[in-house]
DNA sequence: TTCTGTGAACACGTTCACAGCC
DNA sequence: GGCTGTGAACGTGTTCACAGAA
């Protein structure tokens, strides 16, 4: 069951749409309806789902709950993963609260296991219900919690170093907000969110304007 | 000069690497060096740059300052665009500060023109050096500032409505943090950052783990 | 019939490999 | 010789269009 990356990237959107349908009490749906909700072509949605196996009924459609289970299973949301958030400046602080409120409490799959920062003024303070720990003990924290996923919200100049330490400690997936290309070994997955880049891409499309 | 979307998405990274080189006093670079810094293949970088026109010298490489100008020009960073930030909850507040500190002050192209929220407790407060305005006047604010780009950090359930109003008021590019597919007319560009999705994608790659 | 699942066609993006120019 | 710019090959992703199951 090999799922192409571009399909994987769409699975969370399908999941969200299915959750919405389930909440509305819908029991059955179709590739057309679901595709419309998500904003993709129906054929693409069917192709994507086919990588997870065949779970629809021809002439009828898909069972919402069953398909939701399939998608969540494919994403590996069957048990909670420990997430460590490193860097609790302005952005990291907000991210910690956001992840706690909208990701952890919004469904299964994740648990904010620990918060880590290097600033003595921040260490020991409470954020999102957790006490911020010292970055000097980063490896211990990752090992203690068995964390495999990290959110990186440190300043740009220490991002690579922190990244290296996270990987060495056993982290396999990093969501980085530092505007910098991170080098990681084979098998480690980095997803990068760069606000300046996003705005610049928007500027490109708007560039004909005065 | 038609630039493919995937190339556009990489231009900000090239720009950042070129800025780093310029800061280090490097005057000349090569596709190999630049590609290594950015984390892409040298051939891809040369192909990408070729869409902007030929600005390198065969056998020598690229002039850092000149190439930087070309890339910035292509991205439309020749003048400042007004950005409106809508929604100043936890995340929006941090984004406003971040954009002000790391995007606006980090280079040309953008100006945080206004902050808008619907919560009476937030309206009138000062964030990132600006006073938060009433969302009831959203259209007036966009028109007054001539804003073409917006950052959307509202709750999920009002995101589409706010999006519609932004577009009607003249916004052409939206950076959304709301976990929802936004419907926009032709010619309007939406880029979506969804933290839950990003973590779920990381979970997928880590799904073989216990 | 209706709607899925999928082979086949197509479009897009990336990489190779080398001609062309310094 | 060295490095760019780019045709051509390749690989990936998307869409078409229809056979097949309920």
């Amino acid at each position: 069951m090999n799922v192409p990356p571009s399909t994987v990237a769409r699975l969370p959107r399908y999941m969200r749409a299915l959750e919405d349908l389930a909440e509305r009490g819908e029991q059955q749906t179709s590739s057309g309806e679901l595709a419309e909700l998500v904003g993709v072509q129906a054929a693409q949605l069917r192709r994507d789902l086919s990588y997870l196996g065949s779970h629809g009924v021809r002439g009828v459609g898909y069972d919402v709950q069953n398909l939701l289970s399939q998608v969540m299973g494919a994403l590996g949301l069957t048990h909670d993963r420990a997430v460590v958030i490193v860097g609790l400046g302005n952005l990291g602080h907000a991210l910690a609260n956001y992840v706690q409120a909208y990701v952890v409490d919004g469904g299964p799959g994740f648990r904010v296991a620990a918060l880590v920062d290097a600033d003595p003024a921040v260490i020991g303070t409470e954020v999102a219900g957790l006490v911020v720990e010292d970055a000097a003990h980063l490896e211990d924290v990752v090992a203690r919690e068995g964390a495999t996923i990290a959110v990186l919200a440190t300043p740009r100049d220490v991002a690579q170093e922190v990244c290296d330490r996270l990987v060495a400690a056993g982290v396999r997936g990093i969501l980085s907000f530092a505007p910098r290309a991170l080098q990681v070994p084979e098998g480690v997955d980095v997803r990068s969110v760069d606000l300046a880049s996003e705005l610049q891409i928007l500027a490109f499309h708007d560039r004909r304007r005065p």
Side-chain angles (χ1 to χ4, degrees), chain A residues 7-200:
Chain A
T7 295
V8 173
R10 280 186 293 268
L11 293 181
R13 299 203 267 150
Y14 300 157
M15 186 180 140
R16 185 105 53 188
L18 285 165
E19 285 171 342
D20 287 353
L21 286 171
E23 216 161 290
R24 274 196 257 149
E26 306 282 337
Q27 312 222 330
Q28 213 71 21
T29 187
S30 65
S31 63
E33 181 182 40
L34 203 45
E36 162 115 34
L37 283 172
V38 172
V40 301
Q41 296 278 41
Q44 176 156 86
L45 185 137
R46 292 201 300 277
R47 170 80 61 195
D48 284 340
L49 295 184
S50 78
Y51 291 118
L52 314 184
S54 303
H55 303 291
V57 181
R58 288 172 197 242
V60 179
Y62 301 90
D63 180 81
V64 171
Q65 281 301 337
N66 179 48
L67 188 55
L68 184 53
S69 301
Q70 294 301 329
V71 173
M72 287 177 60
L75 283 168
L77 305 180
T78 45
H79 67 279
D80 282 356
R81 264 161 241 279
V83 177
V84 169
I85 302 179
V86 189
L88 287 134
N90 230 310
L91 189 60
H93 196 289
L95 290 173
N97 282 315
Y98 185 97
V99 170
Q100 196 67 270
Y102 293 103
V103 183
V104 173
D105 296 350
F110 305 98
R111 157 174 88 80
V112 178
L115 307 178
V116 175
D117 199 291
D119 183 350
V122 176
I123 296 166
T125 62
E126 194 178 309
V127 175
L130 286 147
V131 175
V132 178
E133 301 182 62
D134 190 335
H137 310 135
L138 181 60
E139 288 80 359
D140 300 338
V141 171
V142 170
R144 184 188 73 215
E145 302 293 341
T148 53
I149 294 182
V151 175
L152 189 59
T154 65
R156 180 168 136 80
D157 53 311
V158 297
Q160 182 64 60
E161 182 209 321
V162 171
C163 171
D164 292 343
R165 291 176 60 196
L166 286 167
V167 170
V171 166
R172 304 269 300 176
I174 295 173
L175 177 55
S176 170
F177 290 83
R180 148 150 301 174
L182 295 176
Q183 309 290 328
V184 287
E186 186 77 15
V188 177
D189 199 19
V190 174
R191 297 193 60 87
S192 197
V193 174
D194 183 340
L195 299 181
S197 293
E198 296 297 331
L199 289 175
Q200 286 161 0

